Amino acid sequence: MTITNYILIIDDDAIMREALADWLEAAGYSARKAADGNAGLAEVKSDAPVLVITDICMPGASGAVVIAELKQKYPQIPVIAISGMFNSGNGMDADAAIHLGAALTLAKPFKRGDLLRAVADLLGRPTDS
């Protein structure tokens, strides 16, 4: 398996997916997008990223399923779990996402700088090619 130098964003919310990709690309990272967990896992299988950012609450394969499968099959790929539900008391909380294998979590809404700091903590700053 080859790991390609891109970050995969998995989120069923098209606006969030586009915003995250725009933030990452403006900061110098390469990003790809998947609309759900199944599409994201298929992307990883065909061309593994250096990092996955996944929403937790999605129809079909949830972020919890994505994290569990990534940790089992691709343990070298770090995951940032994002969710609007982390601080709500409903669904999976941030600690559970970490326990499942996420390297970091971000509760929506988060700021651009929060995301870029989390990515830089895991990957370092992007390098000029």
Side-chain angles (χ1 to χ4, degrees):
M1 175 189 65
T2 302
I3 294 184
T4 306
N5 194 24
Y6 77 94
I7 297 168
L8 178 61
I9 301 158
I10 307 171
D11 199 315
D12 60 315
D13 180 332
I15 294 170
M16 177 62 76
R17 253 190 341 265
E18 293 301 323
L20 296 181
D22 288 349
W23 291 353
L24 291 167
E25 289 169 353
Y29 297 99
S30 176
R32 294 187 193 169
K33 301 165 282 200
D36 60 45
N38 291 328
L41 289 169
E43 178 75 22
V44 170
K45 187 175 182 180
S46 70
D47 190 16
V50 293
L51 172 69
V52 172
I53 299 170
T54 185
D55 189 18
I56 292 297
C57 299
M58 297 183 287
S62 70
V65 170
V66 170
I67 295 168
E69 187 156 331
L70 289 174
K71 289 299 108 185
Q72 180 182 15
K73 295 181 179 175
Y74 310 96
Q76 74 282 13
I77 301 173
V79 177
I80 297 174
I82 60 174
S83 180
M85 305 298 278
F86 281 156
N87 296 329
S88 72
N90 296 318
M92 177 179 282
D93 66 16
D95 290 338
I98 295 289
H99 182 71
L100 196 57
L104 296 170
T105 62
L106 291 171
K108 295 178 185 176
F110 49 82
K111 294 183 166 94
R112 178 180 184 271
D114 297 333
L115 175 73
L116 296 179
R117 271 189 297 282
V119 171
D121 285 350
L122 294 171
L123 299 181
R125 303 274 176 217
T127 56
D128 295 327
S129 307

